[in-house]
Amino acid sequence: MLIDFHAHTFLDKLAAGAVSSLAERAHFKPNTNGTVSATRAIMREQGVDRFVALNIAVSPHTERHVNDYAISLLQYPEIIPFGSVHPDSPNALSEIDRLYEAGIKGIKFHNEYMNFRVDDEHAFPIYEACAEKGMIMLFHAGADRGFPPPVKTPPEGIARVWRKFPQAKIVAAHLGGQDMTDRSVEALADTGVYIDVSFAANCVPVEEGERVIRAFGDRVLFGSDCPWDTPAHTLEYLNKMHFTEEQKEKICFRTALKLLGEE
């Protein structure tokens, strides 16, 4: 079994523009056109049984539309959609209630696009609500190639959030910090924060990736960051590491099932 815990899809009418603008901003080449059908197809072709579709409310204005789309993805049995709420939205807490009641299991935050620091206390009521409901909070962690410093979601900031809400289910994407693997291990390895391996195959040497994954033990999730990378490429990256079959199973699906409350 293989669960991709980090992928992105867009409404058909918005996909072409969204993928094009994101690719231009970050200088990435997409592997799909970002539509639901294309993403489902590549996942199926590359052996993925289920995948988490991450959505981002870049502003309070887009929040409800983004979450309407996330809820619509529940119709596909292989998709695990995450919603998104913005800390400047007056409806953020009610949106969390709406998502939870619809069956959405997590919230995605991309602090660069949302323009707030991960440990800004303004967002704490949102984190508290998610923690109380057992909803997963997945953060883009570390740098983003499309934004200049300072980084709004450094590993140290995520660690401060976890210490404030130790009961929360927190995932720090991109090995806990894009372009910040040393800081990720130092700040997060001894917390309860999970990491995913998304996009690491494109920019983190195999030896370094294995070192980070081992530091986090059983709190590691498979993720591709599709359309910016593919499951097959990510799996090839992991297979170059020296993990047992049991360890690979945990990375590829068992830890995901546990975090989703399905095991």
Side-chain angles (χ1 to χ4, degrees):
M1 187 176 189
L2 183 60
I3 297 176
D4 189 329
F5 217 85
H6 194 128
H8 303 278
T9 65
F10 305 91
L11 275 169
D12 284 1
K13 65 181 181 180
L14 301 176
V19 170
S20 175
S21 63
L22 289 168
E24 182 178 357
R25 179 165 192 159
H27 306 291
F28 295 154
K29 181 181 178 181
N31 292 278
T32 77
N33 63 13
T35 62
V36 175
S37 59
T39 307
R40 293 177 72 203
I42 195 172
M43 293 293 174
R44 183 170 57 251
E45 291 164 4
Q46 298 191 4
V48 175
D49 297 278
R50 300 169 69 192
F51 66 93
V52 173
L54 301 172
N55 302 284
I56 305 167
V58 297
S59 73
H61 175 71
T62 64
E63 181 181 76
R64 188 170 184 89
H65 300 297
V66 165
N67 291 329
D68 286 344
Y69 173 63
I71 291 169
S72 77
L73 294 176
L74 289 167
Q75 68 183 290
Y76 302 104
E78 76 271 37
I79 300 181
I80 307 163
F82 278 22
S84 187
V85 294
H86 198 286
D88 292 336
S89 168
N91 302 313
L93 296 180
S94 62
E95 277 295 284
I96 290 174
D97 289 338
R98 184 169 78 100
L99 290 165
Y100 178 76
E101 290 166 7
I104 298 294
K105 295 191 174 184
I107 302 293
K108 168 66 186 290
F109 300 93
H110 194 308
N111 297 68
E112 302 296 340
Y113 284 100
M114 300 168 89
N115 195 30
F116 76 98
R117 279 190 59 88
V118 63
D119 53 354
D120 187 332
E121 293 186 7
H122 183 48
F124 281 11
I126 292 173
Y127 300 160
E128 183 175 18
C130 289
E132 288 176 351
K133 288 178 166 56
M135 296 179 78
I136 301 162
M137 295 187 286
L138 193 149
F139 294 89
H140 171 93
D144 185 293
R145 305 293 173 83
F147 289 84
V151 170
K152 291 184 173 62
T153 314
E156 298 83 1
I158 296 174
R160 284 191 284 273
V161 171
W162 179 82
R163 286 194 291 269
K164 178 68 177 180
F165 304 100
Q167 77 278 29
K169 297 178 179 180
I170 297 174
V171 179
H174 313 303
L175 292 178
Q178 180 70 47
D179 302 333
M180 296 181 173
T181 51
D182 286 342
R183 290 169 62 177
S184 168
V185 171
E186 183 176 352
L188 297 172
D190 292 332
T191 69
V193 173
Y194 292 73
I195 62 170
D196 72 31
V197 302
S198 61
F199 203 69
N202 281 328
C203 55
V204 180
V206 171
E207 296 79 7
E208 183 180 350
E210 182 171 346
R211 176 180 65 85
V212 176
I213 291 170
R214 289 190 182 281
F216 282 83
D218 292 344
R219 305 194 319 276
V220 182
L221 301 156
F222 181 91
S224 66
D225 207 8
C226 186
W228 313 117
D229 200 354
T230 65
H233 186 223
T234 306
L235 196 58
E236 179 185 358
Y237 174 70
L238 289 173
N239 284 336
K240 293 176 181 177
M241 301 176 186
H242 304 88
F243 294 117
T244 65
E245 288 305 311
E246 181 182 2
Q247 289 170 323
K248 289 179 183 177
E249 284 190 357
K250 288 180 179 179
I251 295 169
C252 288
F253 70 94
R254 293 199 183 281
T255 298
L257 291 175
K258 181 180 177 181
L259 191 59
L260 291 164
E262 299 181 14
E263 185 176 87

